[in-house]
């Protein structure tokens, strides 16, 4: 039986077992929405802005591990989606974004709502397709899902001209897909693994440097087992928070610009850095010439282009972190002596004692770090935490007691303000039984606040905790530190919304908190309310994120706390 | 350092743009580029001459492999390299030296390809460095010439 391209899209998504699509209709994608209307196998969540839709699909993908799916129309539909796609791309999140396009006959004529969509998304997708013939459509959708979730995951964009959605073809969904030009390496080379194991056994000061790839490959359990057995000190990147439990005795905390002193000194002083799905980002390495001068590098990554890109790598292993570690573990456990690293652990623990992560709490003003810690005490251990971008993001990464991978959902690579709230809605859709908290700032929350209506309409009661300092805080901090306190366009105190009324006007519930004792009540109430909540917490305006590696400084030159200087 | 790589890609919509975009986005140079389909296959062959240190080349190759339609990247120190160049002279500049031009062109696997009442066109096919020499010789001797180079094509020995 022949069916239309639009119907093929719907049937293909059903074959892929898609449960929810986030999107926004428009002219060029109307036929697909018409077929969506006629089916009841999966649901559609209508965002208020295409950027919101893609962030929701992204949050859903990060929370569940499934592929997130979004529909948008041509022209402004796809350009609005661009930030969402780029966010997913830099954090390797599997998405399939399907956009409408003007009819093939109109392509290139500057038609109404025409843009070169595949031209725009090419550098921010793992791959993209312009479907020119309905006969290719089913295969392309299959390929898109396969590409999105395999190897190093990422977003895939399919652009479908309107005439292709009405053209007829036989629907044959391929069972399996085999691409001549794309064969990711999952299993590590045995010899390389053996050599790396020998290097670890011989090292005096090794450190596990755990990155987002560990989360994507589901390697948390095995990493916990290896760290527990070998007692090798470990650091996590922002993207890897929760791979180890926060109370793991060998976890030194987050590494990098706002990492702990001990974690950064571990990288600085190590003689062997074992990178597990991390990519030596500039926010981690600090000044590159001075980075890990005495260390050899073991680099395990599924993406060969990451290996040797930033640092010279003596022990490269291309493969899936989990599969490689499964091979490594028996070799490593055979004859390794954890006491060998005791002296090294003692040194690092001493650093941890000298410069622990801390803040000067106060009874007069609310410290943002206190809010994060308090939240950690009040919400269930399995709560999902999303963040926007800025100071609150770093405080959440530093002070929240993470217990499992995928618990923290944050825009790490691209640093997209406005990500947190829609991502929280998507995560809630994927994990209805869990409390979802979005830590945000008074800057970030305004960037996608329209999605409050989505939370109301689809009953996705996420809780936004606004650490409100009336500043674009992170930029303000840099201005104070490096621009002689010239606060150019970062003071937001002149106009602030009434978040309580704002929430209420869109079916949510709002709280304004300016005293510590009000916070606990507000959060408990919000969890009971089962509505989208905004807790507007008035925090200490001038609090800085510390410790800090100043830009272009070596990791060891950290700015620590005032009283430590 | 100049180096030539050969990239075998699936012959599909937008593949050239993907390759060229990657070079542009990551700040790599393309000195020359030739593309043509490989007969009796679904592939095309791109020959790219680029500049950079070995580390940059390592990244270029890895980033090329990361593009989904890239089948194979061939790096070799043992390529046969050929390039074509055509030079057009105003007839009045060279009309007394046609024999000389033809003799030089023959040294570079070439000849005079066309002569009409206004212009003389010489074409040669040779290694890129020899093409450089040929063009230098021509430009130093004759004025107002117009030059077209094809970019390098290579095949492994």
């Amino acid at each position: 039986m022949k069916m239309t391209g639009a119907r093929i899209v719907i049937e293909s998504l059903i074959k892929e077992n898609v449960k929810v699509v986030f999107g926004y209709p428009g002219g060029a994608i109307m036929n697909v929405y018409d077929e969506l209307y006629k089916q009841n196998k999966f649901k559609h969540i209508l965002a208020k802005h295409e950027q919101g839709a893609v962030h929701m699909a992204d949050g859903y993908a990060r929370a569940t591990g499934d592929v997130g799916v979004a529909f948008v129309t041509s022209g402004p539909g796809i350009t609005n989606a661009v930030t969402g796609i780029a966010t997913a791309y830099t954090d390797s999140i599997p998405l399939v974004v399907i956009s409408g396009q003007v009819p093939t006959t109109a392509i290139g004529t500057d038609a109404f709502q025409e843009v070169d969509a595949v031209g725009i998304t090419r550098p921010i997708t793992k791959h993209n397709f312009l479907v020119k013939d309905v006969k290719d459509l089913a295969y392309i959708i299959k390929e898109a899902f396969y590409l999105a979730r395999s190897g190093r995951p990422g977003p895939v964009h399919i652009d479908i001209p309107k005439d292709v959605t009405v053209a007829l073809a036989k629907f044959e969904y391929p069972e399996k897909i085999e691409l001549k030009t794309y064969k990711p390496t999952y299993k590590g080379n045995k010899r390389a693994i053996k050599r790396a194991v020998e290097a670890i056994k011989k090292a005096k000061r090794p450190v596990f440097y755990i990155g987002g790839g560990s989360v994507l490959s589901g390697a948390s359990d095995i990493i916990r087992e290896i760290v527990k057995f070998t007692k090798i000190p470990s650091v996590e990147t922002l993207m890897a928070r929760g791979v180890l439990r926060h109370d793991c005795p060998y976890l030194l905390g987050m590494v990098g610009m706002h990492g702990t002193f001990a974690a950064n000194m571990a990288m600085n002083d190590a003689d062997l850095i074992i990178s597990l799905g991390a990519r030596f980002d500039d926010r981690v390495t600090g000044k590159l010439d001075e980075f890990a001068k005495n260390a050899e590098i073991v680099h395990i990554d599924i993406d060969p282009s990451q290996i040797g890109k930033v640092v010279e790598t003596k022990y490269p292993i291309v493969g899936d972190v989990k599969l490689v570690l499964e091979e490594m573990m028996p070799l490593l456990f055979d004859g390794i002596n954890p006491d060998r690293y005791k002296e090294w652990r003692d040194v690092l623990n001493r650093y941890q004692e000298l410069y622990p992560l801390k803040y000067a709490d106060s009874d007069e003003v609310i410290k943002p770090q206190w809010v994060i810690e308090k939240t950690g005490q009040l919400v269930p251990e399995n709560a999902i935490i999303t963040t926007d971008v800025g100071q609150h993001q770093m405080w959440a990464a530093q002070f929240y007691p993470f217990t499992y991978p995928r618990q923290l959902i944050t825009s790490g690579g691209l640093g997209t303000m406005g990500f947190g709230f829609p991502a929280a809605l998507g995560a809630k859709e994927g994990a209805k039984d869990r409390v979802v908290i979005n830590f945000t700032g008074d800057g970030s929350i305004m960037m996608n606040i329209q999605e409050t209506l989505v939370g109301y309409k689809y009953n996705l009661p996420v809780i936004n905790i606004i650490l409100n300092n009336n500043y674009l805080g992170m930029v303000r901090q840099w201005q104070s530190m490096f621009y002689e306190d010239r606060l150019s366009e970062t003071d937001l105190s002149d106009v602030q919304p009434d978040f309580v009324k704002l929430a209420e006007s869109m079916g949510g519930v709002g709280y304004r908190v300016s005293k510590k004792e009000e916070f606990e009540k507000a959060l408990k109430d919000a969890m009971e309310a089962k509505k989208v909540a905004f807790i507007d917490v008035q925090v200490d305006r001038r609090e800085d994120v510390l410790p800090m590696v100043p830009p272009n400084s070596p990791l060891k030159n950290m700015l620590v706390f005032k009283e430590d200087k | 350092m100049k180096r030539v790589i050969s990239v075998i890609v699936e012959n599909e919509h937008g593949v050239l743009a993907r390759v060229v975009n990657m070079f542009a986005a990551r700040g790599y140079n393309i000195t020359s580029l030739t593309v043509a389909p490989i007969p009796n296959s679904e592939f095309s062959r791109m020959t790219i001459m680029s500049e950079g240190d070995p580390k940059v080349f390592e990244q270029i190759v890895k980033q090329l492999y990361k593009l989904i339609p890239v089948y194979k990247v061939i790096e070799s120190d043992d390529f046969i390299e050929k390039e074509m160049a055509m030079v057009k002279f105003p007839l009045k500049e060279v009309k007394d030296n046609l024999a000389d031009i033809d003799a030089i062109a023959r040294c570079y696997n070439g000849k005079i390809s066309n002569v009409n009442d206004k212009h003389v066109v010489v074409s040669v096919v040779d290694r890129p460095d020899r093409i450089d020499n040929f063009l230098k010789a021509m430009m130093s001797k004759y004025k107002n010439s117009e030059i077209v180079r094809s970019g390098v094509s290579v095949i492994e020995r």
Side-chain angles (χ1 to χ4, degrees), chain A residues 160-466:
Chain A
I160 313 179
K162 194 166 183 181
D163 54 337
V164 173
T165 63
V166 291
L168 294 169
K170 222 171 126 191
F171 178 61
E172 282 168 313
Y173 203 66
E175 284 291 311
K176 261 190 74 177
I177 205 151
E178 185 72 23
L179 298 175
K180 256 188 215 169
T181 59
Y182 172 79
K183 297 189 193 318
T185 308
Y186 290 98
K187 293 202 84 172
N189 177 291
K190 284 202 162 125
R191 279 230 316 272
I193 289 174
K194 236 173 139 177
R195 285 181 56 222
V197 167
E198 291 313 312
I200 297 171
K201 285 181 181 169
K202 258 193 266 158
K204 292 200 178 87
R205 300 183 307 278
V207 56
F208 282 121
Y209 161 45
I210 305 168
S214 305
V215 176
L216 296 168
S217 81
S220 175
D221 287 347
I222 192 163
I223 292 173
R224 288 179 181 200
E225 203 175 333
I226 289 174
V227 170
K228 191 175 167 198
F229 189 92
T230 62
K231 302 183 181 170
I232 291 175
S234 303
V235 302
E236 286 176 349
T237 67
L238 174 64
M239 297 309 293
R241 297 302 271 153
V243 169
L244 297 176
R245 275 185 68 97
H246 67 99
D247 47 10
C248 168
Y250 310 108
L251 174 62
L252 300 164
M254 186 167 71
V255 66
M257 184 172 272
H258 293 297
T260 63
F261 186 76
N264 284 341
M265 288 310 285
M267 295 291 263
N268 190 70
D269 294 351
D271 64 354
L272 187 73
I273 293 174
I274 308 133
S275 169
L276 309 176
R279 59 183 175 89
F280 297 90
D281 179 84
D282 56 277
R283 284 293 188 269
V284 162
T285 62
K287 191 176 181 208
L288 202 53
D289 311 338
E290 310 244 357
F291 174 70
K293 274 173 142 168
N294 307 312
E296 292 182 337
I297 309 285
V298 176
H299 195 164
I300 305 172
D301 205 296
I302 199 157
D303 177 359
S305 75
Q306 295 311 315
I307 294 174
K309 182 181 77 175
V310 177
V311 293
E312 194 90 18
T313 301
K314 187 158 180 197
Y315 304 100
I317 303 173
V318 177
D320 175 80
V321 173
K322 184 179 171 193
L323 295 181
V324 170
L325 289 179
E326 278 171 4
E327 294 257 338
M328 257 188 170
M329 195 165 74
L331 301 173
L332 194 57
F333 286 10
D334 179 23
I336 197 168
N337 176 14
D339 290 341
R340 183 181 172 81
Y341 316 122
K342 182 165 184 311
E343 206 177 310
W344 171 228
R345 285 195 299 271
D346 289 345
V347 170
L348 295 173
N349 288 338
R350 182 83 188 109
Y351 283 140
Q352 196 80 290
E353 283 161 22
L354 277 172
Y355 301 109
L357 202 56
K358 64 177 179 185
Y359 62 96
D361 203 4
S362 159
D363 290 328
E364 277 127 51
V365 285
I366 303 179
K367 292 286 183 174
Q369 302 96 327
W370 177 87
V371 177
I372 308 256
E373 282 186 337
K374 193 75 193 165
T375 305
Q377 292 160 15
L378 292 173
V379 302
E381 200 176 270
N382 70 355
I384 292 175
I385 306 300
T386 70
T387 80
D388 269 304
V389 170
Q391 285 185 312
H392 67 271
Q393 178 189 31
M394 290 299 109
W395 285 318
Q398 290 176 328
F399 288 95
Y400 193 87
F402 297 102
T403 54
Y404 68 96
R406 297 190 181 280
Q407 181 171 28
L408 174 64
I409 294 177
T410 191
S411 169
L414 197 68
T416 306
M417 288 172 71
F419 169 79
F421 180 31
L425 293 165
K428 183 76 181 175
E429 174 60 31
K432 289 244 169 68
D433 55 327
R434 282 188 257 166
V435 171
V436 179
I437 304 282
N438 174 36
F439 285 114
T440 180
D442 52 309
S444 288
I445 191 61
M446 295 308 293
M447 286 203 182
N448 270 319
I449 199 152
Q450 75 284 354
E451 306 302 340
T452 309
L453 283 169
V454 169
Y456 172 57
K457 176 171 171 183
Y458 297 95
N459 190 24
L460 299 170
V462 308
I463 301 170
N464 294 286
I465 299 179
I466 306 167

Side-chain angles (χ1 to χ4, degrees), chain A residues 118-119 122-123 126-128 130 132 143 147 152 179-182 303-310, chain B residues 9-10 12-14 17-18 21 25-26 42-43 55 58-59 62-63 65-71:
Chain A
V118 286
R122 195 174 292 129
K126 184 169 170 185
H127 196 50
N128 62 12
L130 172 63
K132 288 184 154 171
E143 190 176 337
L147 289 173
R152 180 180 179 181
L179 298 175
K180 256 188 215 169
T181 59
Y182 172 79
D303 177 359
S305 75
Q306 295 311 315
I307 294 174
K309 182 181 77 175
V310 177
Chain B
V9 298
E10 215 141 356
E12 64 177 33
H13 173 85
R18 279 181 214 287
N21 267 9
R26 293 186 182 269
E42 71 267 43
F43 295 114
K55 217 184 137 176
E58 192 188 321
Q59 263 302 303
K62 285 176 170 177
Q63 293 295 341
Y65 269 118
K66 213 164 140 177
L67 302 174
I68 308 295
V70 169
Y71 178 62

